[in-house]
Amino acid sequence: MTHREEFMSIEDEDLEGEFIMGWPDRKRLRHAESPDAEGRVIYARTPVLEQEGLITPTEAFFVNAQVQMPEPVHPDDWQVEICGEVDNPFTLTLEELKKLPARTVRAVTECAGNDGDYFDWLAGTTNVKPQIARANDAVDPNVDKFKNNNMTFEEMLERPHATNLCSGGEWTGTPLKEILDRAGVKSDAVSVRLVGFDVGTPNEMKLYRAAGSLDAEIAKPGAINFDKALPMDKAFHEDTIIAWAHNGDALLHVHGAPARAIVPGWAGNWWVKWLEKIEVHDHMVPCYHQTEYFVLGKSYEDPNKTMCMELGCKSIITWPRDNHSPIKTGEHLVRGLAWSGGGAIEKVEVSLDSGETWVDAHVEYSPDKWLWKRWSYLWDVSKPGNYAIMARAYDEAGRMQPVTEWNYLAKHFDGVIPSEISVVE
Ligand SMILES: Nc1nc2c(c(=O)[nH]1)N[C@H]1C(S)=C(S)[C@@H](COP(=O)(O)O)O[C@H]1N2
Ligand SMILES: [Mo]
C-alpha cells in the first residue's frame, strides 16, 4: 500500500483523508452547504462543534440571507451613498472607503434564530430534543423554496432545526462613525438606515407559523431591499464598521461583498450585507426586518414587542454531546465556547450533576471582547451512571446565562442545554 492509499483508507470520520497542496492531511473544516438550483450556495452551517480555536475559517463560516442572494457587483462598479439628515451627503467608491481610517474587529456573528427550537424543548412543549449539527450532518434541501417565499405551511412545519448559524470572524473596514462624521449628522438624527442591494419578498410562512394560524393578519411588505435602522449610539460605536475584508482576505459575495456592516454584540441580521446606502433619519425607520421579523414578544398580538438588538449571554458544550454516549470512566475534557452580546465573557461554570452544584471552568484568555472564548473543565469521573452536564456563562455586563425569555419567534436563544451522557466502566 502506498502512503496515499493508506491515508485515504482511514475510516475515522474526523480523520477522513484529504490531500491539501498535494500532501496527505486530516479532514479540514468546511461549512455544510445548501445550494440553489444553479448550484450556488445560498445557505451554509458552521461545524461549530468541531471548530478549533476562535476564528472560523472562511470555508466553514455560516451563510444566511433573508431573501434571495443578489447578483454580484464588480468592486469597481460599486459605491455607497451617505444621505438623509446630514449636512454634507456624498458617495464613496470602494477605493475611497479604504482611504478612511480603518479598524479590525474580531467578533461572533450569530443569527437571531440560531438554536431557537430549544425554547420549546426547555418549555416542555416538545420532547424532541434539538441537536447542534455535526459537520457531516445533512442540510435543509428546501432553503431555496424558503428564500423564494414559495414554501407551504406544511413544509414550514417540517423544516429542520435552525442551528450552527454562528461563527467567529475577523473583519477589517471603516468605522461607520468615520463616515457619519464626514457627512455631518444633524442633531435631530435618531437612526441610521443601512440598505442592502438585495431585493426579495420575505417568507410569509414563518410568520404564519409563529402567529399559529394561516388566518393571522401578518405584514406583507412585497418585494423589498433588506434594510435595518441602527439607533445612533450603536451606529457611532467604535466597533461598528463597514467591512470589506474577512479573515485576512477580501469579502466573499455570500458575505456581502463589496462591503457590509459589522455590528458586534448584535445578532447577524444587523450586519447588513451588500451595502448600497447609509441613510440618516430623524425617526426610527420601521424596517420590516425590525418591526415584524426580528422582534421579541410573547405572541404575534403582543402590543409590547421590542426589536431584537444585543444578543444574550451564552455558552455551548462542544464535547461531550448526547451522541458521544456512552463514554468510559476516567478523565474527560468537557469543553465549549461562550459569548455574549453584552461584551466579554468573564466566567463559565460547569455542573456535572444536573445543575445541583456548579464549579468554575477554565476560561482561556482572549483580548477580544466580542469574540467567543474557549472554556474547559477536566472531569475525572469514576462512577458509572447517567449524567447531565451543564454550562453557564457570565459576561462583563454582570449578566448570567440565560438572559432571553421564551418568545414566539424563538429569537436570541441562550438557554442552558444539558449534555445527557452515560458513563460506563
Ligand atoms: N443585505 C442583507 N444583509 C443581511 C441579510 C440579508 O438577507 N440581506 N441577512 C442577515 C442575517 S439574518 C444574517 S444571520 C447575516 C449572516 O451573515 P453571513 O451570511 O455573512 O454569515 O447577514 C445579515 N445581513
Ligand atoms: Mo439571521
Side-chain angles (χ1 to χ4, degrees):
M1 216 189 241
T2 65
H3 279 320
R4 186 183 185 103
E5 282 160 358
E6 191 179 4
F7 192 78
M8 294 307 268
S9 70
I10 298 172
E11 274 174 19
D12 180 332
E13 63 173 310
D14 291 328
L15 217 63
E16 225 170 67
E18 263 181 22
F19 278 72
I20 309 260
M21 294 182 232
W23 296 93
D25 196 271
R26 60 172 298 161
K27 190 171 159 189
R28 297 279 148 188
L29 281 195
R30 272 198 71 83
H31 51 213
E33 300 176 346
S34 297
D36 66 6
E38 290 170 59
R40 304 175 303 189
V41 172
I42 54 171
Y43 182 82
R45 288 190 321 221
T46 290
V48 65
L49 300 178
E50 290 96 331
Q51 175 170 324
E52 302 279 0
L54 301 176
I55 298 293
T56 307
T58 305
E59 312 75 62
F61 208 92
F62 86 97
V63 175
N64 197 13
Q66 292 307 313
V67 289
Q68 291 89 340
M69 287 275 178
E71 287 302 317
V73 167
H74 193 283
D76 294 346
D77 299 332
W78 177 85
Q79 55 181 34
V80 62
E81 186 186 350
I82 295 90
C83 56
E85 297 293 308
V86 295
D87 296 329
N88 167 37
F90 58 89
T91 58
L92 289 170
T93 62
L94 188 56
E95 209 185 315
E96 288 163 344
L97 180 66
K98 286 184 171 179
K99 284 183 187 158
L100 299 180
R103 188 174 179 90
T104 293
V105 177
R106 284 175 286 275
V108 167
T109 321
E110 183 176 20
C111 183
N114 189 36
D115 286 327
D117 289 356
Y118 278 115
F119 276 118
D120 283 340
W121 184 77
L122 281 182
T125 43
T126 168
N127 45 32
V128 182
K129 188 180 185 182
Q131 292 292 339
I132 298 177
R134 289 175 46 94
N136 293 338
D137 292 348
V139 288
D140 183 356
N142 277 334
V143 173
D144 212 0
K145 277 189 167 175
F146 180 78
K147 304 278 180 220
N148 284 302
N149 193 16
N150 203 7
M151 184 168 258
T152 65
F153 194 64
E154 287 66 36
E155 284 168 333
M156 185 72 223
L157 295 176
E158 293 293 308
R159 282 203 81 192
H161 171 46
T163 186
N164 300 63
L165 301 176
C166 57
S167 304
E170 180 183 279
W171 305 89
T172 301
T174 303
L176 180 53
K177 178 184 186 310
E178 296 287 346
I179 299 169
L180 294 173
D181 282 346
R182 279 163 179 75
V185 170
K186 294 191 175 154
S187 60
D188 58 355
V190 168
S191 72
V192 179
R193 177 174 173 244
L194 304 174
V195 188
F197 59 74
D198 52 328
V199 180
T201 304
N203 180 279
E204 292 169 358
M205 286 309 151
K206 190 144 180 176
L207 289 192
Y208 281 127
R209 183 176 79 165
S213 153
L214 280 172
D215 298 327
E217 279 186 27
I218 62 159
K220 295 189 181 185
I224 51 171
N225 285 79
F226 186 84
D227 61 348
K228 295 287 292 191
L230 267 180
M232 286 332 272
D233 50 348
K234 196 61 176 174
F236 273 98
H237 192 289
E238 58 187 5
D239 290 330
T240 298
I241 64 173
I242 304 304
W244 60 79
H246 180 203
N247 295 347
D249 206 345
L251 270 191
L252 292 180
H253 178 61
V254 289
H255 296 304
R260 68 148 344 146
I262 302 303
V263 187
W266 290 24
N269 58 83
W270 289 95
W271 303 39
V272 176
K273 305 200 272 193
W274 309 297
L275 196 64
E276 68 170 12
K277 208 188 265 184
I278 299 171
E279 220 175 54
V280 181
H281 287 268
D282 62 6
H283 61 282
M284 182 46 76
V285 187
C287 304
Y288 171 84
H289 286 97
Q290 205 146 323
T291 58
E292 302 294 329
Y293 207 86
F294 291 109
V295 291
L296 299 172
K298 294 201 176 359
S299 71
Y300 189 72
E301 291 82 27
D302 186 343
N304 300 315
K305 285 186 274 201
T306 55
M307 59 182 180
C308 291
M309 293 189 282
E310 71 178 27
L311 292 163
C313 178
K314 181 166 179 177
S315 63
I316 57 168
I317 298 170
T318 55
W319 200 93
R321 308 277 316 166
D322 293 4
N323 60 328
H324 295 118
S325 255
I327 61 174
K328 290 208 163 123
T329 52
E331 265 190 2
H332 294 284
L333 192 66
V334 177
R335 54 187 190 261
L337 294 166
W339 65 100
S340 166
I345 290 294
E346 292 214 318
K347 184 164 83 159
V348 176
E349 291 175 331
V350 172
S351 174
L352 303 154
D353 55 9
S354 312
E356 299 262 308
T357 58
W358 295 84
V359 285
D360 280 356
H362 170 67
V363 179
E364 290 178 16
Y365 167 78
S366 156
D368 295 303
K369 66 189 242 167
W370 304 117
L371 198 57
W372 39 29
K373 288 189 180 174
R374 282 163 44 100
W375 59 264
S376 60
Y377 180 80
L378 193 57
W379 182 34
D380 194 359
V381 55
S382 53
K383 237 173 82 191
N386 294 325
Y387 292 84
I389 306 173
M390 298 173 166
R392 66 183 181 203
Y394 296 72
D395 69 15
E396 64 179 342
R399 306 186 307 168
M400 180 186 89
Q401 180 181 4
V403 172
T404 314
E405 287 175 16
W406 184 97
N407 60 88
Y408 81 107
L409 282 169
K411 300 303 184 198
H412 290 200
F413 178 80
D414 65 353
V416 174
I417 300 299
S419 273
E420 293 164 298
I421 302 296
S422 74
V423 176
V424 295
E425 283 291 354

